[in-house]
Amino acid sequence: MKKNNFLSRLLIISSKKLPLIRSSFFGIISLFFFITLTSCEKEPEPIDIGEEQFINTFYTDTLTINVKVFQSDSVNTTSRTGNSRLLMGSLSDEYVGRYSAQGFGNIGLTTLTEDLKNDAGEVAIYDSLVGFFQTNYVYGDTTGQSTIQLYEVSELFESKNYYQFDTLQTSNAVVGSAVYPNALDSNKVLRVSLSETLGRRLFNYGVENKFANDSLFQLFSKGLAFRNTSPNTSIIGINPLAPATNLTLYFHYPSDTVSSSYKFDMPVSFSNIESDLSNSALAPLTTQNFVSSENTNNLAAIQAGTGIGVKLEFPYLSDFVNRQSMVIQRVELDIPTLETAMSSTITAPNQLLFLFGDGDGFYYTSTGAIEFLPAESGGNTGLTMGYSIQGKSYSYATITSYINQLAKGLIVDSDGLIIQPSENNISLNRLIFSTQKNTNNLPAIRLRMYYSIAE
């Protein structure tokens, strides 16, 4: 295996369990910022751990954990089947500052046989153009009103992956607007009436050129940008690939008053996401490569979309385990959320995912693949921690095998665990947690270790 100085692109991580432990990785520049946590190892006390009785079984939860907080500048936000969402809106808080998003989607032809003429040879008459967008996400104020505005894109979409820093030029004129959630139907589809200027231009193109060549049409009509113009209210998401999402062009024929229609889709789309850490607990990260825990109020953060993640290191683990004849029975990683930073509408990522780390980067195989930490149950699934909205907490992660191997020096090239959020490209959910050095007696990240000492 080989090292990489964190010139890497973040993986697109779905909310589902990963089918493979290894995934391919693309190159980006990311910076790690260090938060060092310290604690002293107390003398262990014998405990009873239920039905599994071991001679001289002990428990400790004071092993030192060092946390490095980093922010990647390249999260792939391109939509694809099963993992698609355009984000729009902005929020701010004292923990991760201000974060905002806008969505971009191109316009494509769904069929190549429409010429806007009927069997009698009559040319159609334009009626209207309406957008229907399936919403599937809201983060922040779920009851307040947000104004969604649409703009025409003036740049061509390219056949490539788009990342959170990417953006496209747009017109200055608003071509459609709607108030969320007022404009939702019973299926949470947002209805937006689009301007007659845009509608007639698409209609006239169809009359003159027919809707017969998708490549030529996309040269003519580039796409749409989606913006939530109500600041600091919520982040709203639409699914651009949902069956209900489309632009519908309505028209009729002179001899028939019954309306006909033609639908356009959005086959290529992505979200532009911006993060401003100033005026937040992580503000020093804007000017320094690393900060101490004192400079971040002894807090750490993981956030989807913005690239904020953490790396965990266990500097005294080997000494603690090897200075005595120890047999590790079970190890659990517990990451209590900072409950005051969470609510029913500001929730943490659905799952946390674990990857091997190496220095200020990821742990790579000789083939250039990163590795996810396998689940203790075996198989080809990666280890995850699931979030409970009701409890505002994560289930603990069992990492007995990993800690055993790390303590014995069997993981030569990896020196810690990187934790990334699920849905990294389609949400802005964030987790805030306290580190071991906090002075407010807040529940902090910890390892719970059950072990035996041979006599």
Side-chain angles (χ1 to χ4, degrees):
M1 297 184 177
K2 62 181 180 181
K3 293 185 178 180
N4 186 302
N5 291 327
F6 212 24
L7 297 175
S8 49
R9 281 201 188 276
L10 278 183
L11 286 178
I12 296 177
I13 300 176
S14 70
S15 60
K16 299 179 181 178
K17 284 191 174 181
L18 294 149
L20 296 175
I21 298 302
R22 292 183 175 92
S23 294
S24 60
F25 209 75
F26 306 93
I28 65 161
I29 298 176
S30 296
L31 296 177
F32 269 113
F33 308 97
F34 299 82
I35 301 176
T36 302
L37 312 178
T38 58
S39 68
C40 58
E41 278 71 26
K42 300 177 182 177
E43 284 298 318
E45 299 178 356
I47 64 164
D48 178 352
I49 57 173
E51 298 180 356
E52 296 182 349
Q53 295 292 330
F54 301 96
I55 298 175
N56 297 326
T57 298
F58 299 92
Y59 166 83
T60 184
D61 63 0
T62 59
L63 284 167
T64 296
I65 303 176
N66 288 346
V67 178
K68 296 178 180 179
V69 181
F70 67 89
Q71 183 173 24
S72 164
D73 64 358
S74 291
V75 178
N76 187 331
T77 63
T78 311
S79 292
R80 59 191 42 78
T81 302
N83 192 29
S84 59
R85 183 177 293 148
L86 295 185
L87 301 170
M88 61 203 79
S90 63
L91 288 170
S92 61
D93 60 52
E94 62 186 285
Y95 306 105
V96 295
R98 185 180 187 275
Y99 44 102
S100 61
Q102 59 179 331
F104 296 88
N106 74 344
I107 302 175
L109 302 179
T110 54
T111 63
L112 304 179
T113 58
E114 181 60 62
D115 60 4
L116 298 177
K117 292 182 180 179
N118 62 13
D119 293 339
E122 294 178 323
V123 177
I125 299 172
Y126 172 80
D127 288 330
S128 63
L129 179 66
V130 180
F132 298 92
F133 308 104
Q134 179 68 66
T135 62
N136 63 352
Y137 178 80
V138 58
Y139 194 70
D141 187 353
T142 58
T143 59
Q145 295 183 350
S146 296
T147 299
I148 307 301
Q149 292 185 344
L150 276 59
Y151 298 79
E152 276 195 89
V153 172
S154 55
E155 283 187 71
L156 285 174
F157 280 77
E158 300 179 38
S159 298
K160 68 173 189 177
N161 287 321
Y162 286 91
Y163 294 82
Q164 98 263 30
F165 56 81
D166 284 320
T167 187
L168 295 174
Q169 295 287 335
T170 69
S171 64
N172 293 323
V174 177
V175 296
S177 66
V179 176
Y180 177 97
N182 301 21
L184 295 179
D185 67 11
S186 59
N187 295 315
K188 297 185 177 180
V189 175
L190 183 70
R191 186 184 189 278
V192 183
S193 295
L194 296 166
S195 72
E196 183 170 349
T197 300
L198 174 60
R200 285 193 177 277
R201 195 164 76 249
L202 296 183
F203 176 80
N204 291 338
Y205 176 93
V207 171
E208 295 171 7
N209 303 282
K210 303 179 182 180
F211 294 133
N213 188 311
D214 194 38
S215 298
L216 290 178
F217 176 76
Q218 291 184 31
L219 292 174
F220 170 77
S221 181
K222 312 300 188 300
L224 295 172
F226 298 77
R227 295 167 185 160
N228 180 348
T229 62
S230 303
N232 296 321
T233 53
S234 61
I235 308 289
I236 295 168
I238 64 171
N239 183 352
L241 301 181
T245 295
N246 64 82
L247 300 185
T248 301
L249 179 65
Y250 292 100
F251 54 90
H252 69 276
Y253 293 100
S255 60
D256 189 354
T257 57
V258 176
S259 180
S260 299
S261 65
Y262 180 85
K263 293 183 179 180
F264 306 91
D265 61 7
M266 290 197 302
V268 179
S269 58
F270 69 95
S271 294
N272 164 255
I273 298 171
E274 296 184 355
S275 171
D276 181 2
L277 296 175
S278 60
N279 301 316
S280 75
L282 302 182
L285 303 186
T286 61
T287 58
Q288 302 178 39
N289 289 340
F290 64 91
V291 294
S292 68
S293 58
E294 290 89 344
N295 291 334
T296 58
N297 296 325
N298 302 302
L299 296 174
I302 298 171
Q303 185 175 31
T306 62
I308 298 174
V310 300
K311 181 188 176 192
L312 309 183
E313 295 178 347
F314 313 97
Y316 307 119
L317 174 65
S318 294
D319 289 343
F320 180 68
V321 172
N322 296 323
R323 73 187 180 194
Q324 48 197 327
S325 300
M326 179 184 294
V327 177
I328 299 175
Q329 304 292 352
R330 183 177 178 87
V331 182
E332 299 165 353
L333 176 65
D334 183 27
I335 308 180
T337 61
L338 181 65
E339 290 198 13
T340 55
M342 315 306 297
S343 70
S344 59
T345 59
I346 300 293
T347 61
N350 290 339
Q351 291 182 326
L352 299 180
L353 311 176
F354 295 80
L355 305 90
F356 289 96
D358 179 20
D360 288 351
F362 289 81
Y363 179 34
Y364 286 82
T365 69
S366 58
T367 61
I370 64 169
E371 289 198 59
F372 291 90
L373 182 66
E376 294 279 311
S377 58
N380 289 327
T381 58
L383 178 67
T384 64
M385 293 175 67
Y387 182 72
S388 167
I389 296 177
Q390 291 76 19
K392 294 194 289 188
S393 63
Y394 282 95
S395 58
Y396 63 81
T398 302
I399 56 173
T400 308
S401 297
Y402 171 76
I403 291 296
N404 258 310
Q405 294 180 62
L406 189 65
K408 295 174 182 178
L410 300 178
I411 306 178
V412 180
D413 295 326
S414 175
D415 59 358
L417 290 177
I418 288 176
I419 305 180
Q420 289 280 286
S422 65
E423 299 185 337
N424 201 19
N425 65 317
I426 57 173
S427 83
L428 282 163
N429 296 42
R430 92 281 193 274
L431 162 66
I432 311 299
F433 64 92
S434 297
T435 62
Q436 291 172 324
K437 205 174 180 181
N438 82 81
T439 59
N440 298 318
N441 294 320
L442 296 171
I445 184 173
R446 60 176 178 166
L447 278 184
R448 297 194 293 254
M449 181 184 293
Y450 304 89
Y451 62 95
S452 298
I453 304 295
E455 293 184 342

